[in-house]
Amino acid sequence: MNGQEFRATIKKYMELRNINGFKGLLEDKMLGSFPTFRRKWDNPEMFTIYEIDYMIRKLNVRSCDRAVLKGESDKATPLEFITEKGAQYKNRA
Protein backbone atom coordinates (compact mmCIF):
# COMPACT_ATOMS: atom_id res chain seq x y z
CA MET A 1 0.00 0.00 0.00
CA ASN A 2 1.27 3.43 -0.88
CA GLY A 3 0.95 5.58 2.25
CA GLN A 4 0.90 8.90 0.41
CA GLU A 5 -1.82 7.73 -1.95
CA PHE A 6 -3.86 6.36 0.97
CA ARG A 7 -3.63 9.62 2.93
CA ALA A 8 -4.37 11.75 -0.15
CA THR A 9 -7.49 9.70 -0.94
CA ILE A 10 -8.82 9.96 2.62
CA LYS A 11 -8.14 13.71 2.74
CA LYS A 12 -9.85 14.18 -0.63
CA TYR A 13 -13.01 12.47 0.58
CA MET A 14 -12.92 14.27 3.91
CA GLU A 15 -12.94 17.54 2.00
CA LEU A 16 -15.69 16.37 -0.37
CA ARG A 17 -17.89 15.30 2.56
CA ASN A 18 -17.19 18.47 4.58
CA ILE A 19 -15.45 16.65 7.42
CA ASN A 20 -13.06 19.15 8.95
CA GLY A 21 -10.04 17.53 10.52
CA PHE A 22 -9.61 14.13 12.06
CA LYS A 23 -11.89 14.92 14.99
CA GLY A 24 -14.86 14.82 12.61
CA LEU A 25 -13.72 11.45 11.33
CA LEU A 26 -13.14 10.13 14.87
CA GLU A 27 -16.33 11.41 16.51
CA ASP A 28 -17.91 7.92 16.55
CA LYS A 29 -14.91 6.43 18.42
CA MET A 30 -14.96 3.56 15.92
CA LEU A 31 -11.36 4.26 14.87
CA GLY A 32 -9.98 4.48 18.39
CA SER A 33 -8.42 7.44 20.13
CA PHE A 34 -6.72 10.31 18.34
CA PRO A 35 -3.17 9.19 19.31
CA THR A 36 -3.87 5.66 18.04
CA PHE A 37 -5.39 6.98 14.81
CA ARG A 38 -2.46 9.37 14.31
CA ARG A 39 0.04 6.51 14.72
CA LYS A 40 -1.84 4.47 12.11
CA TRP A 41 -2.19 7.53 9.87
CA ASP A 42 1.60 7.81 9.76
CA ASN A 43 1.84 4.11 8.87
CA PRO A 44 -1.39 3.12 7.00
CA GLU A 45 -0.44 -0.57 6.88
CA MET A 46 -1.42 -0.69 10.55
CA PHE A 47 -5.12 0.01 9.80
CA THR A 48 -7.28 -3.10 9.99
CA ILE A 49 -9.62 -4.04 7.15
CA TYR A 50 -12.52 -3.20 9.48
CA GLU A 51 -11.16 0.32 10.04
CA ILE A 52 -10.60 0.88 6.34
CA ASP A 53 -14.10 -0.39 5.54
CA TYR A 54 -15.49 1.94 8.21
CA MET A 55 -13.73 4.96 6.65
CA ILE A 56 -14.95 3.91 3.19
CA ARG A 57 -18.56 3.83 4.42
CA LYS A 58 -18.30 7.00 6.50
CA LEU A 59 -16.72 8.97 3.64
CA ASN A 60 -18.84 7.32 0.93
CA VAL A 61 -15.75 6.50 -1.13
CA ARG A 62 -16.36 5.67 -4.79
CA SER A 63 -15.54 2.15 -5.92
CA CYS A 64 -12.68 3.32 -8.13
CA ASP A 65 -10.86 4.68 -5.05
CA ARG A 66 -11.62 1.75 -2.76
CA ALA A 67 -8.83 -0.31 -4.31
CA VAL A 68 -6.33 2.41 -3.36
CA LEU A 69 -7.46 2.35 0.25
CA LYS A 70 -7.40 -1.42 0.48
CA GLY A 71 -3.95 -1.64 -1.11
CA GLU A 72 -5.19 -3.36 -4.25
CA SER A 73 -4.45 -0.59 -6.75
CA ASP A 74 -1.24 -2.32 -7.86
CA LYS A 75 -3.27 -5.42 -8.82
CA ALA A 76 -4.86 -3.79 -11.86
CA THR A 77 -5.70 -5.66 -15.05
CA PRO A 78 -2.52 -6.32 -17.03
CA LEU A 79 -2.04 -4.27 -20.18
CA GLU A 80 -2.22 -7.39 -22.38
CA PHE A 81 -5.89 -7.82 -21.47
CA ILE A 82 -6.68 -4.22 -22.36
CA THR A 83 -5.27 -4.46 -25.89
CA GLU A 84 -7.33 -5.83 -28.73
CA LYS A 85 -5.30 -9.05 -28.84
CA GLY A 86 -5.72 -9.66 -25.10
CA ALA A 87 -9.44 -8.92 -25.21
CA GLN A 88 -10.12 -12.33 -26.72
CA TYR A 89 -8.91 -13.98 -23.51
CA LYS A 90 -10.81 -11.69 -21.18
CA ASN A 91 -14.17 -12.08 -22.93
CA ARG A 92 -14.22 -15.85 -23.09
CA ALA A 93 -17.43 -17.49 -22.05
Side-chain angles (χ1 to χ4, degrees):
M1 173 188 312
N2 183 338
Q4 285 182 316
E5 197 173 12
F6 178 90
R7 288 186 290 272
T9 303
I10 293 292
K11 284 182 179 181
K12 175 178 88 171
Y13 280 95
M14 285 175 65
E15 186 176 318
L16 286 171
R17 308 300 181 231
N18 294 320
I19 295 178
N20 299 320
F22 294 130
K23 294 194 182 203
L25 190 61
L26 298 172
E27 65 189 0
D28 303 2
K29 306 280 187 209
M30 298 298 289
L31 296 172
S33 65
F34 181 75
T36 300
F37 177 81
R38 188 68 181 158
R39 185 171 26 93
K40 291 179 180 183
W41 181 257
D42 291 338
N43 189 7
E45 289 83 18
M46 294 176 67
F47 281 112
T48 65
I49 293 295
Y50 171 79
E51 292 167 332
I52 293 171
D53 285 340
Y54 175 78
M55 286 188 278
I56 286 171
R57 284 190 309 276
K58 179 154 179 107
L59 298 172
N60 196 18
V61 175
R62 285 189 261 161
S63 59
C64 60
D65 289 327
R66 290 178 188 172
V68 171
L69 296 178
K70 291 191 173 193
E72 298 171 351
S73 60
D74 57 341
K75 300 175 186 170
T77 304
L79 184 60
E80 65 190 40
F81 287 115
I82 298 172
T83 63
E84 188 174 319
K85 179 182 175 199
Q88 65 184 340
Y89 300 113
K90 188 173 183 180
N91 294 327
R92 273 193 208 169

